[in-house]
Amino acid sequence: MTINLPGDCNEITKTPSSKWPEIDLPNAEMGKVCLRFAPEPNGGLHLGHSKAVLLNKYFVDKYEGRLIVRMDDTNPTKESTEFVDGILKDLKSLGICYDTLTYTSNYFDQLKDMAERLISEGKAYVDDTPVDQMRFERDKGIESKCRNNNVSENLELWKEMIAGSDRGVMCCVRGKLDFQNKNKCLRDPVYYRCNPVLHHRVGSKYKLYPTYDFAGPFVDNTEGITHVLWSNEYSDRDDQYHLIQEDMGFKKVYFYEFSRLSMVYTLMSKRKHLWFVQNGRVDGWDDPRLPTIQGMVRRGLKIEALIQFILEQVLLVCFAQTFFFLFKSKHVRVLAT
């Protein structure tokens, strides 16, 4: 196994885990793999994020592919340029040498056009149901009263959302997927919401913003992403992602799921870390008591040790799963005979 370490991006260091089986990326072609690491700039990166980005980098190096770092800046209420700069510093500390830095906000006009196209094709609709009621209906599998609005009604309300009018801010755009599905993520997810807050990059140009569920499939296709790596806590969103891709008319992107990194007596949550920072319970995002990248660096953790730890955890899990599968298969054959 090889991976880039801090310093010269061309410097490759061999880790002890090279004696273990390497991980394969499904349907990957040498030289054609393109991956993305897409953090939301609403806080500093922590140890859990390091697992995600290092795994992306591992596959990019293995298949001689490309890595895109994309700031998923679709929620101006929680995001800032300060957090963008912090994330870039974290990636530099980890020795991550990416090919391109992009922002979801680069595609806001195209995303808006796509949402309007789906509304016109009857694949999405505008809903003014109150949030609590909408949440209740999705949980119980009750279709929204707005689901069968005609296209012209939806487009009129869409224009109100674009303008950020009093009527528009009461609405959201929802995809018309499968409301009776047992997977609640398919019960007409929200694609767009109004938000009058200034965006840290585009200011007041827009009054509405796409959700991650909607923006992800679109931008992945636009940037030529071949595989999406995400933790298995999002596995219930796999079908949603592919259905949205299908409605958009895009080809399939492959998924690679990995287990979420959890540690005892340690909070792995940017939201909770933010609370500690904002309430003065810690000195900042680089406080050595936090499991953030900068906190770990300040505490004295060597980045080389962190990289080795993360990659060995991934390979150990992979090895254990393979062993269990082989043992189970052999056990079944023995019982059958």
Side-chain angles (χ1 to χ4, degrees):
M1 175 190 302
T2 59
I3 192 160
N4 291 353
L5 292 180
D8 186 353
C9 290
N10 295 317
E11 179 185 352
I12 308 294
T13 299
K14 209 78 165 173
T15 70
S17 52
S18 57
K19 62 186 177 182
W20 293 330
E22 292 196 357
I23 312 172
D24 292 323
L25 196 60
N27 300 289
E29 297 182 49
M30 187 64 67
K32 296 183 179 181
V33 168
C34 184
L35 308 181
R36 49 83 161 169
F37 176 64
E40 182 181 0
N42 62 351
L45 301 185
H46 53 63
L47 292 179
H49 298 112
S50 70
K51 179 175 182 178
V53 69
L54 288 171
L55 192 55
N56 272 274
K57 185 60 176 170
Y58 167 79
F59 284 125
V60 166
D61 288 343
K62 178 175 180 177
Y63 291 100
E64 300 177 6
R66 299 176 62 247
L67 175 61
I68 295 175
V69 171
R70 181 197 308 153
M71 297 296 169
D72 184 43
D73 54 347
T74 59
N75 186 356
T77 302
K78 298 181 179 181
E79 300 158 358
S80 71
T81 302
E82 174 190 357
F83 289 138
V84 171
D85 295 339
I87 290 173
L88 295 179
K89 181 180 179 180
D90 292 335
L91 294 175
K92 184 177 181 180
S93 296
L94 289 171
I96 301 299
C97 300
Y98 47 86
D99 294 275
T100 309
L101 172 65
T102 66
Y103 297 81
T104 300
S105 55
N106 292 343
Y107 305 96
F108 278 170
D109 284 335
Q110 296 163 265
L111 284 160
K112 189 158 62 71
D113 290 343
M114 174 58 74
E116 187 165 323
R117 195 195 91 185
L118 294 181
I119 293 172
S120 299
E121 294 175 353
K123 297 176 180 178
Y125 61 98
V126 180
D127 195 342
D128 62 356
T129 304
V131 175
D132 290 339
Q133 182 180 343
M134 185 183 300
R135 186 178 294 115
F136 174 81
E137 289 177 349
R138 287 192 69 186
D139 182 63
K140 301 301 181 182
I142 302 172
E143 290 189 2
S144 168
K145 59 180 176 56
C146 302
R147 199 172 197 267
N148 295 315
N149 286 352
N150 62 49
V151 172
S152 60
E153 290 175 317
N154 286 322
L155 289 175
E156 284 300 317
L157 290 175
W158 170 244
K159 292 177 182 178
E160 295 290 336
M161 289 183 65
I162 294 174
S165 67
D166 292 341
R167 182 75 178 96
V169 297
M170 299 170 60
C171 303
C172 68
V173 176
R174 301 177 67 179
K176 190 179 290 188
L177 298 186
D178 183 0
F179 223 99
Q180 302 306 315
N181 201 292
K182 293 181 179 180
N183 183 349
K184 296 178 183 180
C185 290
L186 297 180
R187 296 179 182 178
D188 294 7
V190 174
Y191 287 174
Y192 258 92
R193 292 189 181 95
C194 281
N195 192 339
V197 177
L198 292 178
H199 190 279
H200 68 94
R201 288 191 74 231
V202 298
S204 59
K205 182 178 180 180
Y206 303 96
K207 302 297 189 296
L208 74 173
Y209 296 92
T211 61
Y212 176 81
D213 291 338
F214 182 73
F218 180 88
V219 182
D220 285 344
N221 177 83
T222 304
E223 294 185 340
I225 303 302
T226 59
H227 297 74
V228 170
L229 277 62
W230 57 19
S231 63
N232 51 19
E233 63 185 302
Y234 299 114
S235 59
D236 58 349
R237 296 183 181 273
D238 291 0
D239 291 339
Q240 180 202 82
Y241 183 105
H242 283 142
L243 281 176
I244 294 174
Q245 267 196 323
E246 184 179 328
D247 281 349
M248 291 179 175
F250 296 151
K251 64 180 182 180
K252 183 177 181 180
V253 171
Y254 297 103
F255 290 144
Y256 180 90
E257 294 183 351
F258 57 91
S259 60
R260 179 179 179 178
L261 178 64
S262 298
M263 304 183 75
V264 295
Y265 306 119
T266 304
L267 292 174
M268 293 290 196
S269 167
K270 281 194 293 185
R271 178 176 56 83
K272 294 177 181 178
H273 295 165
L274 179 63
W275 183 90
F276 279 99
V277 173
Q278 290 181 331
N279 288 275
R281 301 301 179 91
V282 293
D283 295 335
W285 289 95
D286 64 346
D287 191 293
R289 291 169 292 182
L290 290 177
T292 57
I293 302 302
Q294 295 308 314
M296 293 292 97
V297 170
R298 188 177 170 193
R299 191 172 183 175
L301 175 67
K302 294 293 186 181
I303 292 299
E304 291 84 355
L306 172 61
I307 292 173
Q308 179 177 326
F309 168 74
I310 293 297
L311 293 179
E312 288 185 357
Q313 295 306 306
V314 173
L315 284 174
L316 279 171
V317 170
C318 180
F319 179 78
Q321 290 173 338
T322 302
F323 177 80
F324 176 77
F325 174 77
L326 293 174
F327 174 80
K328 183 178 180 182
S329 299
K330 181 179 179 181
H331 187 59
V332 170
R333 286 199 297 272
V334 170
L335 290 177
T337 57

